[in-house]
Amino acid sequence: MNLGNAVEFLCNKTILVTGATGFLGKVLVEKILRVQPNVKKLYLLIRAKDNKSALERLHDEILREELFRLLRETQSAEFDSFIVEKLAPVDGDTSLINLGLNDNSYINKEIDVIIHGAARTRFQERYDSALGINTLGAKNILQFAKTCPKLQILVHVSTAYVSKQKAGLIPEAISGIAGLDIDEEKKLVDQKLDHLTSKGVSTIKIRDSMRRFGQKRAKLHGWPNTYTFTKAMAEMLICEHKGELPVVIVRPTMICSTFKDPFPGWIQDKGMAILSVVYGKGLVYFTHADGNTILDMIPVDMVVNSTIMSMVANANKPCLTIYQVGSSLRNPLTLSKLVATNFQYFIKNPWISEGMPVKVKRSKLVKCRLHFLMLMLQHISKLMMLKLVDTTFCHRIKVNQDKLEMELKVTAQMAMTFRHYLIFHGIFDDKNTEKLRITMAKANNVEKEIFNFDPKCIDWEDYLLNNYIPAIVRYSF
């Protein structure tokens, strides 16, 4: 592997970025602009009705973030003119042929690099939206990339959880799915939508029905949720249609707050952070989980750094290289450690709710599903008893009812949403990623610091207590 200088590589490059309004996309855009202000242009594909609306989204959803504080300070009075020169928001949609760029077809002549990060990341997303953007969007990006004469590399951002494997060492490889026909999935979606529309079903009921349909199709084929299922199908399409294109697939695990860049402790995406939120707010004290589960978390700036270095290492090569970016193999963090650290933090720094500190108690992880269901039944019985007593005493203890009812609702929701990740015994192999790290370290010590993505340097207790959990509280969702 020949690894060039990343900062030099970015110089005078024209890059198309999809998903720039998302958590990872924002950190990526900020990083490129800050470390290489001589990048030629970043075209940001943004879903909007026109270019004016795309420009508004750029300013409202990206540039106003505190994330860009250091870049603003660096550019000072020149910041606005710098942004105008370097960033070009373009209204488009990855679910459409040619990305909906009929009026901007000249763009493909300029593009050197494509970083495709646009995705529907909600686990229970409606199936039509997830299939259109997560799966077919990858095919549309490939087709567009083939029209770019200067293209040096296409980076597709996926997720490590595309694998159905829940135990053992999970390789950096694409697995076929026996009996799965993506065209047939699209037909099923269209038929389902036509059926619901013909019956005059409300928009809300269509949404809920399509969410349930996505879950059903995902579980039928062995995936825990619509998100991972549609991202797995995207990788299948890339493998099938890439041709001679140089393609890199970056598979991050659970992305969390910045480790260092541009400053420690910036976060936007809920993801697994919601577990700390509901605990700190006193809403969940037991859940269906295995304390020995390795909770594979990786700071967002490390994902960005690995993404940049992977495209530098593979530019102009007719490759399909997969990089799993996580911590479970090199520096594992157990779920029990996160739970204990949450308790340690919120005992000393209680969440303030309605002007009052929330008192937390130690959380209980229940590995046995039957035991978890029995605990739920005990609390439901307690709630029913409270309601009975409340009726007897003229509704004087309704507050306790409401609190317990909310706790039960949130506990059930957390167990349903995150069960796959909280009882998980897989470790993500990162052979390609480690090779990239080693090559980078040998090539350039300066860039090793600028583009650090080594999980071994994370002190989990320090990071959780002084970075991750405070970030969750500060940017509370």
Side-chain angles (χ1 to χ4, degrees):
M1 180 190 299
N2 295 318
L3 190 62
N5 184 297
V7 175
E8 288 181 7
F9 176 84
L10 292 169
C11 183
N12 206 36
K13 288 292 187 297
T14 298
I15 304 173
L16 174 66
V17 180
T18 74
T21 58
F23 178 34
L24 179 63
K26 290 175 185 177
V27 180
L28 173 71
V29 169
E30 192 278 340
K31 177 80 175 193
I32 292 174
L33 292 177
R34 182 164 44 80
V35 301
Q36 183 45 279
N38 291 318
V39 65
K40 186 174 182 180
K41 182 79 72 175
L42 294 181
Y43 284 108
L44 309 183
L45 191 77
I46 298 175
R47 295 184 73 187
K49 63 181 181 180
D50 51 36
N51 275 347
K52 180 181 178 183
S53 299
L55 182 62
E56 290 173 355
R57 287 195 67 189
L58 168 65
H59 287 278
D60 293 344
E61 299 178 35
I62 301 178
L63 297 176
R64 285 186 180 178
E65 295 283 2
E66 186 187 3
L67 174 71
F68 287 82
R69 182 184 71 206
L70 183 58
L71 184 64
R72 285 182 177 275
E73 292 171 356
T74 303
Q75 292 295 327
S76 190
E78 305 299 319
F79 179 78
D80 290 339
S81 59
F82 175 73
I83 291 299
V84 170
E85 179 187 355
K86 301 299 179 180
L87 294 186
V90 180
D91 65 291
D93 189 335
T94 58
S95 67
L96 301 176
I97 299 298
N98 198 43
L99 313 182
L101 296 177
N102 294 331
D103 296 329
N104 302 284
S105 57
Y106 64 88
I107 290 177
N108 67 319
K109 305 294 192 299
E110 304 177 33
I111 301 299
D112 299 299
V113 175
I114 297 175
I115 305 174
H116 175 46
R120 294 288 195 187
T121 58
R122 189 196 302 267
F123 290 165
Q124 286 86 32
E125 183 60 78
R126 51 186 293 169
Y127 194 28
D128 52 333
S129 295
L131 188 68
I133 294 174
N134 295 355
T135 303
L136 301 179
K139 184 177 180 180
N140 293 332
I141 283 287
L142 277 175
Q143 291 173 338
F144 177 79
K146 290 176 181 179
T147 71
C148 301
K150 294 174 57 185
L151 187 72
Q152 297 183 34
I153 189 73
L154 165 61
V155 180
H156 172 77
V157 180
S158 185
T159 170
Y161 295 93
V162 291
S163 173
K164 290 190 288 186
Q165 190 176 329
K166 289 182 64 176
L169 191 64
I170 302 172
E172 294 170 306
I174 296 176
S175 301
I177 307 170
L180 176 62
D181 185 328
I182 297 173
D183 290 333
E184 185 62 27
E185 291 298 312
K186 181 66 168 66
K187 289 178 183 177
L188 289 173
V189 164
D190 292 340
Q191 290 170 4
K192 182 79 171 177
L193 282 173
D194 288 343
H195 176 68
L196 292 170
T197 303
S198 66
K199 291 177 64 177
V201 176
S202 70
T203 302
I204 293 176
K205 288 186 177 180
I206 288 176
R207 178 201 66 193
D208 293 341
S209 179
M210 294 309 296
R211 283 180 179 173
R212 290 192 297 271
F213 189 48
Q215 285 295 107
K216 179 181 177 181
R217 298 304 298 176
K219 289 180 179 178
L220 175 68
H221 290 286
W223 270 266
N225 51 58
T226 309
Y227 170 62
T228 52
F229 178 43
T230 51
K231 293 295 281 185
M233 287 191 286
E235 291 195 5
M236 288 177 60
L237 288 176
I238 289 171
C239 187
E240 181 181 353
H241 296 285
K242 71 170 287 295
E244 294 300 310
L245 283 177
V247 177
V248 161
I249 296 177
V250 176
R251 288 181 180 169
T253 52
M254 301 172 189
I255 303 178
C256 48
S257 63
T258 53
F259 179 70
K260 178 182 177 182
D261 235 1
F263 51 85
W266 187 82
I267 192 169
Q268 180 190 55
D269 195 31
K270 292 181 182 179
M272 296 299 286
I274 195 67
L275 295 175
S276 296
V277 173
V278 296
Y279 174 75
K281 290 183 176 181
L283 297 174
V284 171
Y285 289 121
F286 69 95
T287 193
H288 183 32
D290 182 355
N292 293 319
T293 287
I294 302 300
L295 202 60
D296 199 319
M297 294 168 57
I298 190 74
V300 63
D301 46 332
M302 289 192 176
V303 179
V304 164
N305 293 341
S306 62
T307 299
I308 292 172
M309 297 311 298
S310 69
M311 73 187 192
V312 174
N314 293 277
N316 298 308
K317 300 174 184 176
C319 61
L320 177 56
T321 310
I322 298 172
Y323 296 95
Q324 288 184 162
V325 186
S327 60
S328 56
L329 183 63
R330 309 289 167 181
N331 188 6
L333 168 69
T334 63
L335 179 57
S336 59
K337 175 67 174 179
L338 174 63
V339 168
T341 309
N342 272 331
F343 176 73
Q344 183 181 348
Y345 180 86
F346 286 113
I347 280 289
K348 295 181 178 179
N349 310 278
W351 200 293
I352 304 300
S353 177
E354 297 180 355
M356 297 293 292
V358 176
K359 295 182 179 179
V360 297
K361 53 188 177 184
R362 293 187 184 277
S363 186
K364 187 174 184 179
L365 302 178
V366 185
K367 184 177 179 180
C368 175
R369 181 167 175 76
L370 181 60
H371 185 192
F372 173 74
L373 293 175
M374 288 176 64
L375 282 174
M376 288 293 291
L377 285 173
Q378 288 177 17
H379 283 73
I380 290 170
S381 298
K382 181 179 177 181
L383 176 62
M384 293 174 67
M385 183 63 69
L386 277 173
K387 288 187 175 183
L388 180 62
V389 173
D390 186 42
T391 302
T392 304
F393 288 92
C394 303
H395 306 291
R396 294 178 182 175
I397 56 173
K398 191 173 187 306
V399 173
N400 290 337
Q401 288 180 54
D402 291 344
K403 185 176 185 298
L404 182 55
E405 196 162 8
M406 177 61 76
E407 289 176 8
L408 282 169
K409 181 180 178 180
V410 174
T411 299
Q413 182 65 42
M414 292 300 102
M416 181 179 70
T417 303
F418 296 106
R419 182 172 58 199
H420 175 78
Y421 306 96
L422 301 182
I423 300 181
F424 186 85
H425 301 104
I427 298 295
F428 292 102
D429 190 11
D430 65 349
K431 187 182 300 181
N432 291 336
T433 311
E434 179 68 4
K435 184 178 179 182
L436 183 64
R437 277 193 290 263
I438 293 170
T439 305
M440 179 182 70
K442 290 179 179 178
N444 193 318
N445 284 328
V446 174
E447 294 215 335
K448 178 183 176 181
E449 179 67 22
I450 297 174
F451 298 103
N452 174 39
F453 53 99
D454 186 355
K456 295 190 293 292
C457 71
I458 303 172
D459 178 328
W460 283 116
E461 184 169 354
D462 177 71
Y463 172 78
L464 294 172
L465 285 174
N466 300 306
N467 183 325
Y468 176 66
I469 302 175
I472 291 170
V473 175
R474 181 177 183 183
Y475 303 101
S476 57
F477 310 107

PDB file of all heavy atoms in Angstrom, residues 284-306:
ATOM      1  N   VAL A 284     -34.858   4.795  33.144  1.00  0.00           N
ATOM      2  CA  VAL A 284     -34.573   3.377  32.955  1.00  0.00           C
ATOM      3  C   VAL A 284     -33.571   2.912  34.009  1.00  0.00           C
ATOM      4  O   VAL A 284     -32.487   3.482  34.112  1.00  0.00           O
ATOM      5  CB  VAL A 284     -34.005   3.093  31.541  1.00  0.00           C
ATOM      6  CG1 VAL A 284     -33.517   1.656  31.441  1.00  0.00           C
ATOM      7  CG2 VAL A 284     -35.054   3.347  30.464  1.00  0.00           C
ATOM      8  N   TYR A 285     -33.942   1.872  34.764  1.00  0.00           N
ATOM      9  CA  TYR A 285     -33.031   1.317  35.763  1.00  0.00           C
ATOM     10  C   TYR A 285     -32.776  -0.174  35.570  1.00  0.00           C
ATOM     11  O   TYR A 285     -31.984  -0.770  36.290  1.00  0.00           O
ATOM     12  CB  TYR A 285     -33.560   1.582  37.171  1.00  0.00           C
ATOM     13  CG  TYR A 285     -33.466   3.043  37.550  1.00  0.00           C
ATOM     14  CD1 TYR A 285     -34.594   3.770  37.895  1.00  0.00           C
ATOM     15  CD2 TYR A 285     -32.239   3.699  37.523  1.00  0.00           C
ATOM     16  CE1 TYR A 285     -34.508   5.109  38.212  1.00  0.00           C
ATOM     17  CE2 TYR A 285     -32.139   5.043  37.843  1.00  0.00           C
ATOM     18  CZ  TYR A 285     -33.274   5.744  38.191  1.00  0.00           C
ATOM     19  OH  TYR A 285     -33.180   7.081  38.502  1.00  0.00           O
ATOM     20  N   PHE A 286     -33.465  -0.776  34.644  1.00  0.00           N
ATOM     21  CA  PHE A 286     -33.142  -2.153  34.280  1.00  0.00           C
ATOM     22  C   PHE A 286     -33.456  -2.332  32.800  1.00  0.00           C
ATOM     23  O   PHE A 286     -34.346  -1.688  32.250  1.00  0.00           O
ATOM     24  CB  PHE A 286     -33.927  -3.161  35.128  1.00  0.00           C
ATOM     25  CG  PHE A 286     -35.411  -3.195  34.858  1.00  0.00           C
ATOM     26  CD1 PHE A 286     -35.940  -4.119  33.958  1.00  0.00           C
ATOM     27  CD2 PHE A 286     -36.280  -2.322  35.507  1.00  0.00           C
ATOM     28  CE1 PHE A 286     -37.309  -4.158  33.713  1.00  0.00           C
ATOM     29  CE2 PHE A 286     -37.642  -2.366  35.267  1.00  0.00           C
ATOM     30  CZ  PHE A 286     -38.166  -3.282  34.362  1.00  0.00           C
ATOM     31  N   THR A 287     -32.675  -3.190  32.150  1.00  0.00           N
ATOM     32  CA  THR A 287     -32.911  -3.427  30.732  1.00  0.00           C
ATOM     33  C   THR A 287     -32.422  -4.807  30.341  1.00  0.00           C
ATOM     34  O   THR A 287     -31.617  -5.424  31.048  1.00  0.00           O
ATOM     35  CB  THR A 287     -32.231  -2.358  29.857  1.00  0.00           C
ATOM     36  OG1 THR A 287     -32.721  -2.449  28.517  1.00  0.00           O
ATOM     37  CG2 THR A 287     -30.724  -2.524  29.848  1.00  0.00           C
ATOM     38  N   HIS A 288     -32.933  -5.286  29.227  1.00  0.00           N
ATOM     39  CA  HIS A 288     -32.565  -6.609  28.707  1.00  0.00           C
ATOM     40  C   HIS A 288     -31.204  -6.486  28.031  1.00  0.00           C
ATOM     41  O   HIS A 288     -31.104  -5.992  26.902  1.00  0.00           O
ATOM     42  CB  HIS A 288     -33.644  -7.062  27.720  1.00  0.00           C
ATOM     43  CG  HIS A 288     -33.433  -8.430  27.162  1.00  0.00           C
ATOM     44  ND1 HIS A 288     -32.835  -9.452  27.876  1.00  0.00           N
ATOM     45  CD2 HIS A 288     -33.748  -8.957  25.944  1.00  0.00           C
ATOM     46  CE1 HIS A 288     -32.798 -10.535  27.140  1.00  0.00           C
ATOM     47  NE2 HIS A 288     -33.333 -10.270  25.956  1.00  0.00           N
ATOM     48  N   ALA A 289     -30.142  -6.907  28.727  1.00  0.00           N
ATOM     49  CA  ALA A 289     -28.788  -6.701  28.215  1.00  0.00           C
ATOM     50  C   ALA A 289     -27.809  -7.628  28.919  1.00  0.00           C
ATOM     51  O   ALA A 289     -28.069  -8.112  30.020  1.00  0.00           O
ATOM     52  CB  ALA A 289     -28.363  -5.252  28.431  1.00  0.00           C
ATOM     53  N   ASP A 290     -26.678  -7.870  28.252  1.00  0.00           N
ATOM     54  CA  ASP A 290     -25.593  -8.672  28.813  1.00  0.00           C
ATOM     55  C   ASP A 290     -24.435  -7.734  29.135  1.00  0.00           C
ATOM     56  O   ASP A 290     -23.884  -7.092  28.242  1.00  0.00           O
ATOM     57  CB  ASP A 290     -25.162  -9.724  27.787  1.00  0.00           C
ATOM     58  CG  ASP A 290     -24.053 -10.642  28.308  1.00  0.00           C
ATOM     59  OD1 ASP A 290     -23.562 -10.404  29.433  1.00  0.00           O
ATOM     60  OD2 ASP A 290     -23.691 -11.590  27.586  1.00  0.00           O
ATOM     61  N   GLY A 291     -24.068  -7.668  30.396  1.00  0.00           N
ATOM     62  CA  GLY A 291     -22.994  -6.775  30.817  1.00  0.00           C
ATOM     63  C   GLY A 291     -21.657  -7.088  30.166  1.00  0.00           C
ATOM     64  O   GLY A 291     -20.780  -6.222  30.081  1.00  0.00           O
ATOM     65  N   ASN A 292     -21.468  -8.328  29.683  1.00  0.00           N
ATOM     66  CA  ASN A 292     -20.220  -8.716  29.037  1.00  0.00           C
ATOM     67  C   ASN A 292     -20.172  -8.338  27.559  1.00  0.00           C
ATOM     68  O   ASN A 292     -19.137  -8.534  26.901  1.00  0.00           O
ATOM     69  CB  ASN A 292     -20.005 -10.226  29.173  1.00  0.00           C
ATOM     70  CG  ASN A 292     -19.755 -10.642  30.618  1.00  0.00           C
ATOM     71  OD1 ASN A 292     -19.046  -9.959  31.345  1.00  0.00           O
ATOM     72  ND2 ASN A 292     -20.354 -11.742  31.034  1.00  0.00           N
ATOM     73  N   THR A 293     -21.267  -7.819  27.039  1.00  0.00           N
ATOM     74  CA  THR A 293     -21.288  -7.385  25.650  1.00  0.00           C
ATOM     75  C   THR A 293     -20.233  -6.306  25.423  1.00  0.00           C
ATOM     76  O   THR A 293     -20.103  -5.375  26.222  1.00  0.00           O
ATOM     77  CB  THR A 293     -22.678  -6.815  25.282  1.00  0.00           C
ATOM     78  OG1 THR A 293     -23.606  -7.901  25.187  1.00  0.00           O
ATOM     79  CG2 THR A 293     -22.659  -6.072  23.957  1.00  0.00           C
ATOM     80  N   ILE A 294     -19.477  -6.449  24.336  1.00  0.00           N
ATOM     81  CA  ILE A 294     -18.513  -5.408  23.964  1.00  0.00           C
ATOM     82  C   ILE A 294     -19.282  -4.341  23.196  1.00  0.00           C
ATOM     83  O   ILE A 294     -19.806  -4.593  22.116  1.00  0.00           O
ATOM     84  CB  ILE A 294     -17.377  -5.960  23.097  1.00  0.00           C
ATOM     85  CG1 ILE A 294     -16.646  -7.096  23.847  1.00  0.00           C
ATOM     86  CG2 ILE A 294     -16.403  -4.850  22.716  1.00  0.00           C
ATOM     87  CD1 ILE A 294     -16.024  -6.682  25.155  1.00  0.00           C
ATOM     88  N   LEU A 295     -19.375  -3.159  23.781  1.00  0.00           N
ATOM     89  CA  LEU A 295     -20.101  -2.054  23.169  1.00  0.00           C
ATOM     90  C   LEU A 295     -19.122  -1.309  22.262  1.00  0.00           C
ATOM     91  O   LEU A 295     -18.347  -0.481  22.723  1.00  0.00           O
ATOM     92  CB  LEU A 295     -20.638  -1.124  24.261  1.00  0.00           C
ATOM     93  CG  LEU A 295     -21.814  -0.229  23.894  1.00  0.00           C
ATOM     94  CD1 LEU A 295     -23.027  -1.039  23.480  1.00  0.00           C
ATOM     95  CD2 LEU A 295     -22.165   0.666  25.072  1.00  0.00           C
ATOM     96  N   ASP A 296     -19.153  -1.634  20.996  1.00  0.00           N
ATOM     97  CA  ASP A 296     -18.137  -1.106  20.082  1.00  0.00           C
ATOM     98  C   ASP A 296     -18.435   0.337  19.703  1.00  0.00           C
ATOM     99  O   ASP A 296     -19.200   0.618  18.786  1.00  0.00           O
ATOM    100  CB  ASP A 296     -18.055  -1.974  18.820  1.00  0.00           C
ATOM    101  CG  ASP A 296     -16.750  -1.758  18.084  1.00  0.00           C
ATOM    102  OD1 ASP A 296     -16.314  -0.591  17.988  1.00  0.00           O
ATOM    103  OD2 ASP A 296     -16.153  -2.737  17.611  1.00  0.00           O
ATOM    104  N   MET A 297     -17.791   1.255  20.421  1.00  0.00           N
ATOM    105  CA  MET A 297     -17.957   2.682  20.168  1.00  0.00           C
ATOM    106  C   MET A 297     -16.675   3.246  19.554  1.00  0.00           C
ATOM    107  O   MET A 297     -15.579   2.773  19.850  1.00  0.00           O
ATOM    108  CB  MET A 297     -18.288   3.414  21.479  1.00  0.00           C
ATOM    109  CG  MET A 297     -19.639   3.019  22.061  1.00  0.00           C
ATOM    110  SD  MET A 297     -19.904   3.599  23.767  1.00  0.00           S
ATOM    111  CE  MET A 297     -19.679   5.356  23.589  1.00  0.00           C
ATOM    112  N   ILE A 298     -16.852   4.257  18.710  1.00  0.00           N
ATOM    113  CA  ILE A 298     -15.695   4.901  18.080  1.00  0.00           C
ATOM    114  C   ILE A 298     -15.987   6.386  17.899  1.00  0.00           C
ATOM    115  O   ILE A 298     -17.050   6.749  17.391  1.00  0.00           O
ATOM    116  CB  ILE A 298     -15.333   4.229  16.732  1.00  0.00           C
ATOM    117  CG1 ILE A 298     -13.993   4.736  16.195  1.00  0.00           C
ATOM    118  CG2 ILE A 298     -16.459   4.365  15.729  1.00  0.00           C
ATOM    119  CD1 ILE A 298     -12.798   4.204  16.924  1.00  0.00           C
ATOM    120  N   PRO A 299     -15.104   7.278  18.347  1.00  0.00           N
ATOM    121  CA  PRO A 299     -15.339   8.720  18.201  1.00  0.00           C
ATOM    122  C   PRO A 299     -15.482   9.133  16.739  1.00  0.00           C
ATOM    123  O   PRO A 299     -14.797   8.608  15.856  1.00  0.00           O
ATOM    124  CB  PRO A 299     -14.090   9.343  18.842  1.00  0.00           C
ATOM    125  CG  PRO A 299     -13.634   8.320  19.829  1.00  0.00           C
ATOM    126  CD  PRO A 299     -13.900   7.002  19.156  1.00  0.00           C
ATOM    127  N   VAL A 300     -16.358  10.086  16.502  1.00  0.00           N
ATOM    128  CA  VAL A 300     -16.680  10.499  15.134  1.00  0.00           C
ATOM    129  C   VAL A 300     -15.472  11.054  14.390  1.00  0.00           C
ATOM    130  O   VAL A 300     -15.327  10.839  13.180  1.00  0.00           O
ATOM    131  CB  VAL A 300     -17.842  11.526  15.147  1.00  0.00           C
ATOM    132  CG1 VAL A 300     -17.465  12.805  15.887  1.00  0.00           C
ATOM    133  CG2 VAL A 300     -18.312  11.849  13.734  1.00  0.00           C
ATOM    134  N   ASP A 301     -14.567  11.765  15.082  1.00  0.00           N
ATOM    135  CA  ASP A 301     -13.400  12.311  14.382  1.00  0.00           C
ATOM    136  C   ASP A 301     -12.451  11.206  13.923  1.00  0.00           C
ATOM    137  O   ASP A 301     -11.763  11.352  12.911  1.00  0.00           O
ATOM    138  CB  ASP A 301     -12.666  13.356  15.229  1.00  0.00           C
ATOM    139  CG  ASP A 301     -12.428  12.951  16.671  1.00  0.00           C
ATOM    140  OD1 ASP A 301     -13.211  12.157  17.204  1.00  0.00           O
ATOM    141  OD2 ASP A 301     -11.469  13.452  17.286  1.00  0.00           O
ATOM    142  N   MET A 302     -12.425  10.081  14.645  1.00  0.00           N
ATOM    143  CA  MET A 302     -11.608   8.955  14.191  1.00  0.00           C
ATOM    144  C   MET A 302     -12.209   8.317  12.941  1.00  0.00           C
ATOM    145  O   MET A 302     -11.475   7.855  12.057  1.00  0.00           O
ATOM    146  CB  MET A 302     -11.461   7.921  15.309  1.00  0.00           C
ATOM    147  CG  MET A 302     -10.578   8.385  16.467  1.00  0.00           C
ATOM    148  SD  MET A 302     -10.156   7.023  17.567  1.00  0.00           S
ATOM    149  CE  MET A 302      -9.049   7.859  18.726  1.00  0.00           C
ATOM    150  N   VAL A 303     -13.528   8.292  12.859  1.00  0.00           N
ATOM    151  CA  VAL A 303     -14.181   7.773  11.654  1.00  0.00           C
ATOM    152  C   VAL A 303     -13.853   8.673  10.460  1.00  0.00           C
ATOM    153  O   VAL A 303     -13.528   8.195   9.370  1.00  0.00           O
ATOM    154  CB  VAL A 303     -15.708   7.672  11.848  1.00  0.00           C
ATOM    155  CG1 VAL A 303     -16.360   7.151  10.569  1.00  0.00           C
ATOM    156  CG2 VAL A 303     -16.050   6.764  13.016  1.00  0.00           C
ATOM    157  N   VAL A 304     -13.916   9.973  10.678  1.00  0.00           N
ATOM    158  CA  VAL A 304     -13.585  10.931   9.609  1.00  0.00           C
ATOM    159  C   VAL A 304     -12.132  10.763   9.172  1.00  0.00           C
ATOM    160  O   VAL A 304     -11.822  10.727   7.968  1.00  0.00           O
ATOM    161  CB  VAL A 304     -13.848  12.378  10.080  1.00  0.00           C
ATOM    162  CG1 VAL A 304     -13.161  13.388   9.170  1.00  0.00           C
ATOM    163  CG2 VAL A 304     -15.352  12.643  10.118  1.00  0.00           C
ATOM    164  N   ASN A 305     -11.227  10.655  10.130  1.00  0.00           N
ATOM    165  CA  ASN A 305      -9.802  10.511   9.797  1.00  0.00           C
ATOM    166  C   ASN A 305      -9.532   9.238   8.997  1.00  0.00           C
ATOM    167  O   ASN A 305      -8.763   9.244   8.025  1.00  0.00           O
ATOM    168  CB  ASN A 305      -8.964  10.519  11.075  1.00  0.00           C
ATOM    169  CG  ASN A 305      -8.983  11.862  11.771  1.00  0.00           C
ATOM    170  OD1 ASN A 305      -9.321  12.876  11.166  1.00  0.00           O
ATOM    171  ND2 ASN A 305      -8.629  11.883  13.041  1.00  0.00           N
ATOM    172  N   SER A 306     -10.166   8.148   9.399  1.00  0.00           N
ATOM    173  CA  SER A 306      -9.980   6.889   8.666  1.00  0.00           C
ATOM    174  C   SER A 306     -10.584   6.983   7.270  1.00  0.00           C
ATOM    175  O   SER A 306     -10.040   6.414   6.311  1.00  0.00           O
ATOM    176  CB  SER A 306     -10.598   5.720   9.436  1.00  0.00           C
ATOM    177  OG  SER A 306     -12.001   5.889   9.582  1.00  0.00           O
TER     178      SER A 306
END
